[in-house]
Amino acid sequence: MPHAPIYVVDGARTPFLKARNAPGPFSAADLAVQAGRELLLRQPFAPADLDEVIVGCAAPSADEVNIGRVIALRLGCGHRVPGWTVMRNCASGMQALDSAIANIHTGRSSLVLAGGVDALSRAPLLVSDEMTRWLASWAAARGAGDRFTALRRFPWRSIAPVIGLVKGLTDPVVGLSMGQTAENLATRFGISRQAMDEYAARSHARALAAREAAAREIAPLIDARGTLYPTDDGVRDDSTVERLGKLRPVFDKPWGNITAGNSSQVTDGAALLLLASEDAVKRWNLQPLGRIVDSQWAGLDPAQMGLGPVHATTSILQRHHLGLNDLDLWEINEAFAAQVLACLAAWNDTVYCREELGTEPWGVLDQARLNVEGGAIALGHPVGASGARIVLHLLQLLRERGLQRGMAAICIGGGQGGAMLLETETAQ
């Protein structure tokens, strides 16, 4: 059933800041508020004119659990504008957009601030169950004798913290980390270490070449000490194939091929977009970047989760009678080089397409159309924000290059994929 168009009016994101084994300078809400403030200051309406605020976040802190509401209030939307939070792992930001689309289509909303954020450097350190039980016994101790007995039973072997981020990036159903699922794909499609490192080096090179242009969508950050963070800080000019080839495997030691260099970076960042109905566009005389034409979610084996973009985008392509290269540009989030390369291989694999998609092979996607200004390997992957970032970035690229149509797609931990078909205003 066709729906009225959903317009992307404008968007902004923060610089993506690489986590460096310590809490970063900004909480997740800090990141989103700074991006949202600059975005809203450009608009002809007030924050209180929004119908709702929807934010995707995979790892909100304990004091920002419903971070969507926190952000809405801090942005000055007032008490009457509802704010809420969604979570679909790596696609949380894209899910926020899709939730906004659904509410606009039903008439509940006409003007929505939506997107995603994560401050992964602030993912919590946890204690083990054994340590938790000891703490409970300590709290229940009465008098010096009980406390002395509890101290004698202190569980020294369990004193090491449980790293929340590692647990969050491990699938509890199949027991594999996201990196191990990428190793699965590399094996399945015969993707070499050389091919992964070449792809990773290209991501950095493309991001470096586009650094000045990337400022179009970045709202610089300023911390409490007045330090300015103007741009993404994970992009490297020394990420050559030769240097990347010296890195050791991380997830499947010692024989694996997935390294820190050909994987996305652990990062803090936010990306927010303004979505509007046709009536809201007319009411406020807005000049949209483009439209979200269609969206799709798909599920697959969690052990093969990186192929989610193939499943989600194929349904959209079928609905709109499009081939891979009928689209002007593609953004596939770079969780791992092996994962993106596996998607390209799957579309061109007869057995995979027939058995998993129920179609004939789709052919070879022209990589000159794919992630043309680099991706998460170079920029970073703040889990909640990435799905929103690729939508904003793709619309900016299409508009600047005078192109019409593109696809943004993302793999999702747990064995899912998400995709959105986008058009600029020239594609009527």
Side-chain angles (χ1 to χ4, degrees):
M1 178 179 177
H3 290 286
I6 302 297
Y7 294 93
V8 177
V9 175
D10 198 356
R13 71 171 177 91
T14 66
F16 282 6
L17 305 181
K18 185 175 181 179
R20 289 180 166 84
N21 299 317
F26 304 97
S27 73
D30 291 338
L31 294 164
V33 167
Q34 292 206 42
R37 182 184 298 124
E38 180 158 327
L39 174 59
L40 291 172
L41 283 172
R42 298 199 292 255
Q43 310 310 316
F45 51 82
D49 293 317
L50 292 168
D51 294 306
E52 59 182 333
V53 175
I54 311 173
V55 177
C57 186
S61 64
D63 60 343
E64 296 176 348
V65 175
N66 185 9
I67 194 170
R69 177 62 167 170
V70 174
I71 292 165
L73 291 172
R74 287 183 60 186
L75 284 173
C77 296
H79 295 167
R80 295 187 179 182
V81 176
W84 51 292
T85 307
V86 298
M87 198 291 209
R88 199 194 280 257
N89 282 343
C90 310
S92 296
M94 186 176 283
Q95 177 62 67
L97 302 181
D98 205 37
S99 297
I101 289 168
N103 281 355
I104 293 173
H105 278 154
T106 60
R108 295 191 186 112
S109 296
S110 61
L111 189 61
V112 181
L113 179 66
V117 64
D118 258 313
L120 296 183
S121 71
R122 296 190 175 202
L125 296 178
L126 311 172
V127 297
S128 67
D129 289 347
E130 185 179 3
M131 180 62 74
T132 301
R133 285 190 288 269
W134 182 86
L135 289 169
S137 69
W138 176 259
R142 295 291 182 267
D146 287 348
R147 288 191 173 88
F148 180 73
T149 300
L151 284 173
R152 290 179 60 190
R153 296 173 179 171
F154 186 83
W156 292 102
R157 291 176 299 178
S158 301
I159 197 170
V162 178
I163 301 172
L165 184 61
V166 173
K167 288 184 71 69
L169 295 177
T170 301
D171 187 275
V173 177
V174 296
L176 298 175
S177 71
M178 298 300 99
Q180 289 170 318
T181 70
E183 291 280 13
N184 287 348
L185 299 184
T187 299
R188 180 171 190 169
F189 293 101
I191 300 168
S192 69
R193 170 69 182 272
Q194 176 78 11
M196 298 178 203
D197 289 345
E198 287 175 353
Y199 184 93
R202 187 179 72 186
S203 182
H204 282 274
R206 287 182 170 182
L208 279 170
R211 174 163 274 176
E212 185 174 337
R216 63 168 108 68
E217 62 196 42
I218 292 179
L221 293 164
I222 301 175
D223 68 16
R225 297 181 178 181
T227 303
L228 176 68
Y229 302 81
T231 189
D232 307 310
D233 68 359
V235 185
R236 297 174 63 101
D237 59 7
D238 61 352
S239 286
T240 63
V241 175
E242 292 73 25
R243 290 181 67 91
L244 291 170
K246 297 177 182 178
L247 299 177
R248 295 180 180 181
V250 174
F251 303 101
D252 188 10
K253 302 174 183 178
W255 310 114
N257 290 303
I258 311 298
T259 70
N262 56 40
S263 307
S264 58
Q265 302 173 30
V266 178
T267 315
D268 299 351
L272 297 175
L273 290 77
L274 284 165
L275 273 59
S277 66
E278 193 164 16
D279 287 344
V281 168
K282 292 176 180 177
R283 177 185 177 188
W284 297 104
N285 193 28
L286 304 173
Q287 303 298 316
L289 295 173
R291 301 187 300 278
I292 300 176
V293 177
D294 201 353
S295 60
Q296 180 69 46
W297 303 100
L300 69 158
D301 180 358
Q304 309 280 321
M305 73 94 196
L307 296 173
V310 174
H311 291 250
T313 59
T314 295
S315 295
I316 295 178
L317 294 172
Q318 289 176 310
R319 280 200 292 271
H320 295 267
H321 308 290
L322 296 169
L324 296 176
N325 295 309
D326 291 332
L327 299 168
D328 296 307
L329 293 174
W330 284 76
E331 285 286 322
I332 298 177
N333 190 58
E334 296 172 354
F336 304 91
Q339 165 260 321
V340 178
L341 294 172
C343 288
L344 303 185
W347 270 312
N348 198 38
D349 187 281
T350 299
V351 173
Y352 191 87
C353 287
R354 288 178 178 174
E355 293 184 356
E356 303 292 340
L357 304 177
T359 72
E360 291 303 305
W362 288 79
V364 178
L365 173 60
D366 178 7
Q367 293 194 50
R369 303 169 187 253
L370 172 65
N371 297 354
V372 296
E373 291 188 349
I377 290 173
L379 304 177
H381 179 18
V383 172
S386 292
R389 182 197 74 81
I390 60 174
V391 170
L392 172 61
H393 186 63
L394 183 53
L395 280 172
Q396 295 277 18
L397 287 172
L398 291 169
R399 183 182 177 96
E400 290 171 5
R401 298 181 180 210
L403 303 174
Q404 295 186 347
R405 187 183 290 119
M407 186 81 76
I410 192 166
C411 65
I412 306 168
Q416 297 186 83
M420 287 186 166
L421 178 63
L422 312 174
E423 289 183 350
T424 59
E425 286 304 278
T426 57
Q428 296 287 356

